[in-house]
Amino acid sequence: MNPGTHKKQSRTKWFILLYSFILSVGHSLIVSAHVGSSGVIVQKQAGKYQLLISVQPPDVVPGTAKVTVYVEQGRVSSIGARPIYFRSGNKGAPTHDELVLVADNRYEADLWLMSSGSSSIELTIDGPDGKQQVIVPVMAIATALRDMPAGTGWGLAAMGLLLVVMLVTIIGASNSDGVVLPGEPAPAKLGSRRLLGMGAGLAVIVLILTGWRTWWTSTAEQYKNQQLYKPATINASVRVADAQRLLMIQFDTTGSGKDRRQRRMLSYMLPDHGKLMHAFLVRMPGMDAFAHLHPNRRDTLNFEAALPPLPGGKYLLYSDVVYRNGFTETLTDTVEVPSLKISVAAAAKSTDADDSWLVTEPMGVKAGAVNVPHLDNDMVVCGKPGASMKLEDGSTMLWMDKVGPILEAGKLYTLKFAVADAQGKSAALEPYLGMGGHAAIVRSDGSVYIHLHPVGTYSMAAEGSLTNRIADTARTFHYPDAVRFRDSIDAYVSKLKTLPEAEKNQVLSTSMSGMSHVMKTNNMVEFPYAFPRAGHYRIWVQVKRNGRVLTGVFDTQVTESLL
């Protein structure tokens, strides 16, 4: 690189930094696609390399994402990273930035994300064990407004005032002193000319500052109204029909005509693990009832699912969806579930064969305590949270390798869970929705939620969409006909439901080969995760055995990082 190019890039980065600072003025607002759990964590096998990847995107865009790669296996010489945006694809992507080795097997870099929306980080790993590429989906969204520090504001105001005074003085001096020729006496009206020049200069500066202030306000409003991410709104309710409770989820498009950010491309939803929507219900405040449902799409705005025999009460609802451009988001609402005596026949009428549910003890209640949970008719407690838990088929799920009773916020962990049969022997697990298992983690107040997979915190559908976009040579992406696309997706999802379990898992595994994550032992499932905040958390771990979905539940406490 020649010195001129280096200086040009340096000036560009300083301009970007200044622009980001201007856009970030305001006050804090924290939201994210996974509620309260920003960033992406990925654990992948790429050729001979096993990698643990963490990407923390910026909360203002343009901004820098912190990329960290732990090389758990393989000999690496260099790692490059570059952002690739869905809109512009591979043709519009910048060149790779090289990650720096900061510790044994840990590489880091700050990567600029210049555009909001769905994007990915392409990692290129090179070394004696070959060259590999890994795609990490990242939602580059602005989620924060910040206040300018008071000291900085006063300092800038003082410097600005000084500059105005100096500029006005210079203009006045040039207007007066410029008429005096060398060797001639100064005109009598020299002072008047100086004052007139200073007045005219001040008026021009005021006009310039007024225009600049208008631009500043307009830019800030545009950032707030168009760039700042706001999740789509849903309205959830429960309707009772034929002695069966139905969960109704409706997308609220009120006002979407005025706000283009709310014009979600609802017809362009993609199935993730073969499901258009993953809905998680958690009863509050005890978090003692849980359901993982897959509502059917009735039309573009409405989804519906039959509720399992959950106890009545107030539930938090987290609904995960993925769009054609790879953008993923979690839609939230609260819903009141009425108490209703459910017959065995009605309870068997689930919307989806992969739906699952669990009723257990409230969070914090120890096994053998007097205040055991009160259950409605036909409900049973399937196990008690702890270091191990009895599952409903008689097997036991154990939390393996837990470092201690209290974990640290912000620290990367691999959460490992194993299943043993009634005789204490290894119990082989089957694929559940094409993967070794699923997990949901919720903070006790509901402010943190994450849907985990063995490969990490991202979506299979998002990875597939972004990988295909990178392979596309077109500079811009053109969406297909909305109705035709929606109908074809509905037909695909319906077809999957009719397939035998083995064939369905084969189809899903083929469609998400990038998320293949073979467990080291056939009775264990593991999830990489970093708890974002201190607090008490409940973890639901879901696996499949002998054709049945089994759910284990574990509690843990997380404290602030000791570093």
Side-chain angles (χ1 to χ4, degrees):
M1 180 182 296
N2 62 59
T5 303
H6 180 75
K7 290 180 179 179
K8 183 178 180 181
Q9 289 186 352
S10 178
R11 288 195 299 269
T12 301
K13 288 188 176 181
W14 274 108
F15 173 76
I16 293 169
L17 185 61
L18 176 63
Y19 183 61
S20 302
F21 178 75
I22 292 172
L23 290 182
S24 67
V25 173
H27 52 273
S28 176
L29 175 66
I30 301 175
V31 291
S32 64
H34 282 107
V35 180
S37 190
S38 63
V40 181
I41 298 173
V42 177
Q43 189 171 45
K44 261 195 175 182
Q45 188 78 31
K48 294 182 179 180
Y49 303 111
Q50 182 170 309
L51 308 171
L52 181 59
I53 305 163
S54 171
V55 178
Q56 287 295 329
D59 55 5
V60 292
V61 180
T64 56
K66 185 175 182 62
V67 181
T68 305
V69 178
Y70 297 88
V71 181
E72 299 179 320
Q73 182 180 313
R75 297 169 295 168
V76 170
S77 299
S78 65
I79 300 178
R82 64 170 180 157
I84 301 179
Y85 308 100
F86 183 85
R87 284 196 299 268
S88 55
N90 187 46
K91 294 290 185 181
T95 58
H96 288 85
D97 287 346
E98 188 165 336
L99 276 66
V100 177
L101 179 64
V102 295
D104 289 344
N105 300 326
R106 189 176 100 231
Y107 294 77
E108 289 184 354
D110 291 329
L111 201 64
W112 278 98
L113 295 179
M114 300 297 300
S115 179
S116 297
S118 180
S119 62
S120 60
I121 303 295
E122 181 188 72
L123 296 172
T124 300
I125 302 94
D126 200 358
D129 287 330
K131 190 172 184 177
Q132 296 289 333
Q133 284 188 336
V134 174
I135 303 300
V136 180
V138 176
M139 301 302 106
I141 53 176
T143 61
L145 294 169
R146 298 195 190 98
D147 287 323
M148 180 183 293
T152 303
W154 284 109
L156 291 175
M159 287 189 290
L161 181 60
L162 177 62
L163 288 174
V164 169
V165 171
M166 293 175 63
L167 186 58
V168 169
T169 303
I170 292 171
I171 294 174
S174 64
N175 188 58
S176 59
D177 299 346
V179 301
V180 180
L181 297 176
E184 293 186 2
K189 297 183 179 181
L190 185 64
S192 299
R193 290 182 62 88
R194 181 178 290 111
L195 292 176
L196 181 63
M198 293 173 65
L202 181 61
V204 172
I205 291 173
V206 168
L207 288 175
I208 293 174
L209 291 177
T210 300
W212 175 83
R213 176 65 179 176
T214 301
W215 169 83
W216 177 291
T217 304
S218 174
T219 301
E221 285 299 312
Q222 183 183 32
Y223 174 81
K224 181 179 179 180
N225 296 328
Q226 296 184 18
Q227 284 189 260
L228 195 65
Y229 170 74
K230 292 181 180 178
T233 303
I234 58 172
N235 298 316
S237 60
V238 175
R239 177 171 63 90
V240 179
D242 300 325
Q244 174 66 57
R245 297 170 300 180
L246 298 175
L247 174 65
M248 318 294 294
I249 300 175
Q250 182 182 52
F251 283 82
D252 185 359
T253 58
T254 304
S256 62
K258 298 179 181 179
D259 189 350
R260 65 192 181 108
R261 289 175 301 119
Q262 292 295 334
R263 297 173 190 167
R264 304 296 186 200
M265 297 179 291
L266 300 179
S267 293
Y268 293 105
M269 281 188 186
L270 289 178
D272 195 21
H273 306 287
K275 313 295 180 183
L276 272 177
M277 179 183 288
H278 293 262
F280 293 86
L281 286 166
V282 179
R283 188 166 80 156
M284 301 300 285
M287 307 179 80
D288 56 343
F290 165 86
H292 177 187
L293 309 177
H294 308 96
N296 284 335
R297 178 160 62 181
R298 294 171 51 202
D299 54 49
T300 305
L301 299 181
N302 294 280
F303 287 73
E304 177 182 285
L307 284 178
L310 295 170
K314 183 178 180 180
Y315 285 75
L316 295 179
L317 172 66
Y318 303 95
S319 298
D320 296 335
V321 294
V322 185
Y323 301 98
R324 175 63 184 85
N325 62 357
F327 193 88
T328 64
E329 62 181 352
T330 297
L331 315 174
T332 62
D333 200 7
T334 58
V335 60
E336 190 72 30
V337 174
S339 298
L340 186 68
K341 183 176 180 179
I342 307 295
S343 66
V344 176
K349 296 178 181 178
S350 61
T351 300
D352 193 293
D354 293 310
D355 287 354
S356 55
W357 63 281
L358 177 74
V359 178
T360 185
E361 290 188 350
M363 191 171 187
V365 176
K366 303 300 182 182
V370 176
N371 55 336
V372 295
H374 171 73
L375 304 178
D376 296 341
N377 292 336
D378 299 322
M379 296 180 186
V380 295
V381 173
C382 299
K384 298 176 174 61
S388 64
M389 176 176 176
K390 199 71 135 180
L391 304 179
E392 63 176 341
D393 70 340
S395 60
T396 300
M397 182 177 288
L398 304 95
W399 187 344
M400 310 293 291
D401 301 334
K402 186 177 181 183
V403 296
I406 299 178
L407 306 180
E408 290 184 38
K411 186 174 181 179
L412 275 173
Y413 293 100
T414 299
L415 309 177
K416 300 179 181 180
F417 302 90
V419 178
D421 62 19
Q423 288 73 41
K425 297 181 180 180
S426 172
L429 303 177
E430 302 164 359
Y432 175 37
L433 297 176
M435 303 200 74
H438 295 252
I441 300 178
V442 180
R443 195 171 183 265
S444 59
D445 61 355
S447 62
V448 175
Y449 155 82
I450 191 76
H451 178 191
L452 284 174
H453 308 114
V455 289
T457 62
Y458 69 98
S459 155
M460 171 273 294
E463 183 192 46
S465 179
L466 291 164
T467 300
N468 291 336
R469 181 68 182 98
I470 292 172
D472 187 0
T473 58
R475 182 63 183 261
T476 57
F477 179 81
H478 298 285
Y479 285 92
D481 177 77
V483 175
R484 189 175 301 170
F485 182 85
R486 183 196 63 201
D487 291 346
S488 66
I489 292 298
D490 286 342
Y492 169 77
V493 173
S494 298
K495 178 66 175 178
L496 279 179
K497 289 185 177 182
T498 65
L499 297 179
E501 188 68 13
E503 188 175 345
K504 180 181 70 174
N505 281 314
Q506 180 62 40
V507 172
L508 293 176
S509 298
T510 301
S511 66
M512 56 184 184
S513 57
M515 293 188 78
S516 176
H517 194 79
V518 179
M519 297 294 105
K520 298 179 180 65
T521 56
N522 63 359
N523 73 320
M524 183 179 292
V525 61
E526 56 186 51
F527 309 92
Y529 186 57
F531 294 88
R533 299 167 51 199
H536 291 85
Y537 290 81
R538 176 154 280 192
I539 306 172
W540 291 270
V541 182
Q542 298 195 290
V543 295
K544 200 165 191 177
R545 180 170 178 259
N546 297 327
R548 299 173 66 180
V549 179
L550 305 172
T551 303
V553 57
F554 301 86
D555 295 336
T556 191
Q557 183 179 351
V558 177
T559 186
E560 294 295 347
S561 176
L562 301 177
L563 298 179

